[in-house]
Amino acid sequence: MPGLFIVVEGPEGAGKTTLVKRLTRRLQQAGYQVLEVREPGGTDGAEAARALVLDPERHWSPVAELFLILAARAELVTRVIEPRLREDYWVVISDRFDLSTEAYQIAGRGLPRDGVFAANQLATGGLRPDLTLVLDIPPQVGRRRQAAQGKAPDRMEREDEELHERVAQAFRDAVGPGVVHLDAQRTPEELEGVAWDAIRARIGTP
Ligand code: T5A
C-alpha cells in the first residue's frame, strides 16, 4: 500500500502518547496527511471494547481479553487504517499495535504464541507496520510517571510487578523488520529527534 504505517510501542508510561503527538506535528510540517489512532480504540466499536477490557471492575479470562483486543483491532484495521494506507501521502501513526499483544497476552498472560499469532493474522488480514518504534524503559520508571499524573489505574495497570516485568522484557527483546528501539529515558525533545531520524531513514527523506 502507498501509505506509511508507523507504530509506537512500549510499557505503561513509556511516553508513547507524548511521542505520537510530537511525530504527528513533525510529519504534518513535512507535508504528510497524518491520522493518529490508539489501540485498543479508534472506532465506536473498538472504543467500546477498550472500555470493557480496561474496566477495573471487570474480570476477563486471558483468552476473553485477547478476543476483546482483537475485535477492536479488526474494526480499526478494516474501517480506518487500511482505507487511509491505500492513499498516497497518508501516514497512520498508532499508539500500540500487535507488538503489545505479544508483550501483554503472550509474555504477560502466558497465552500460546501460535494461537495468538493466528488470531491476530485473522484480525489484521496480515497488515504489518512499516516501522515500529519501541520505547525501552524499566517498568518501575514508567509506572512512576503514570502515578505522578494522578490517573486512576485501569485493569491492566493494576496487575502485579511480575507481569509488568515480563511485558517490559518482551518489548526489550522485540526484533524484526522495521523494529527500532529507542531509550525512553531521554527527554521528550531528544526522543522526538531520534524517532524522527528513524522515520526519515524509513521514508528516505534527507
Ligand atoms: N493492551 C493493548 C494489551 O494488553 N494488548 C494489546 O494488544 C494492546 C494494543 C492500553 C492498555 O491496553 C493493553 C496495554 C495497556 O495496558 P494505553 O492507554 O495505551 O492502554 O497504555 P498506557 O501505556 O497505560 O498509556 P499511558 O498514556 O499511560 O502511557 P504512555 O502513552 O506511554 O505515556 P504518556 O506519553 O502518556 O506519558 C506518561 C507521563 O510521562 C511523561 C508525560 O508527560 C506523562 O506525564 N513523559 C515523560 N517524562 C519524562 N521523559 C519523557 N521522555 C516523557 N515522555 C512522557
Side-chain angles (χ1 to χ4, degrees):
M1 281 188 274
L4 186 74
F5 183 28
I6 300 173
V7 174
V8 179
E9 293 273 14
E12 318 273 329
K16 299 175 296 297
T17 310
T18 305
L19 183 60
V20 164
K21 298 210 171 307
R22 285 172 168 264
L23 292 177
T24 296
R25 270 199 306 276
R26 277 271 182 126
L27 285 158
Q28 285 168 338
Q29 284 162 3
Y32 290 92
Q33 310 231 58
V34 186
L35 175 71
E36 214 182 282
V37 294
R38 69 170 180 180
E39 269 235 281
T43 70
D44 283 355
E47 289 292 334
R50 178 189 178 95
L52 283 173
V53 80
L54 295 181
D55 181 351
E57 301 301 318
R58 290 181 190 271
H59 300 280
W60 299 106
S61 70
V63 173
E65 176 184 280
L66 170 73
F67 281 110
L68 280 167
I69 288 165
L70 293 184
R73 183 165 302 152
E75 285 291 290
L76 182 66
V77 167
T78 53
R79 293 183 193 277
V80 178
I81 297 180
E82 278 187 351
R84 281 289 181 267
L85 293 180
R86 284 195 206 102
E87 297 174 42
D88 276 330
Y89 293 104
W90 268 97
V91 178
V92 177
I93 182 161
S94 182
D95 192 332
R96 299 188 182 278
F97 196 62
D98 57 1
L99 185 54
S100 282
T101 314
E102 275 190 68
Y104 285 86
Q105 279 65 51
I106 297 176
R109 300 293 192 203
L111 288 177
R113 173 170 289 272
D114 289 354
V116 174
F117 275 32
N120 181 65
Q121 165 82 20
L122 198 59
T124 61
L127 177 71
R128 302 286 310 133
D130 296 297
L131 181 64
T132 302
L133 301 170
V134 184
L135 302 192
D136 289 325
I137 195 166
Q140 319 81 278
V141 178
R143 297 184 87 186
R144 269 204 300 277
R145 286 183 185 173
Q146 285 186 317
Q149 287 179 292
K151 282 191 315 190
D154 64 33
R155 196 175 65 84
M156 209 60 96
E157 288 159 7
R158 289 176 188 220
E159 291 294 342
D160 57 34
E161 288 297 332
E162 287 76 21
L163 180 138
H164 286 287
E165 186 43 62
R166 290 196 299 279
V167 166
Q169 187 64 48
F171 280 123
R172 280 195 294 274
D173 291 346
V175 287
V179 174
V180 175
H181 286 265
L182 304 174
D183 175 4
Q185 294 192 79
R186 296 169 185 242
T187 66
E189 293 73 23
E190 288 169 345
L191 202 48
E192 178 185 335
V194 288
W196 182 242
D197 289 344
I199 292 174
R200 281 193 313 177
R202 177 65 185 78
I203 59 186
T205 307

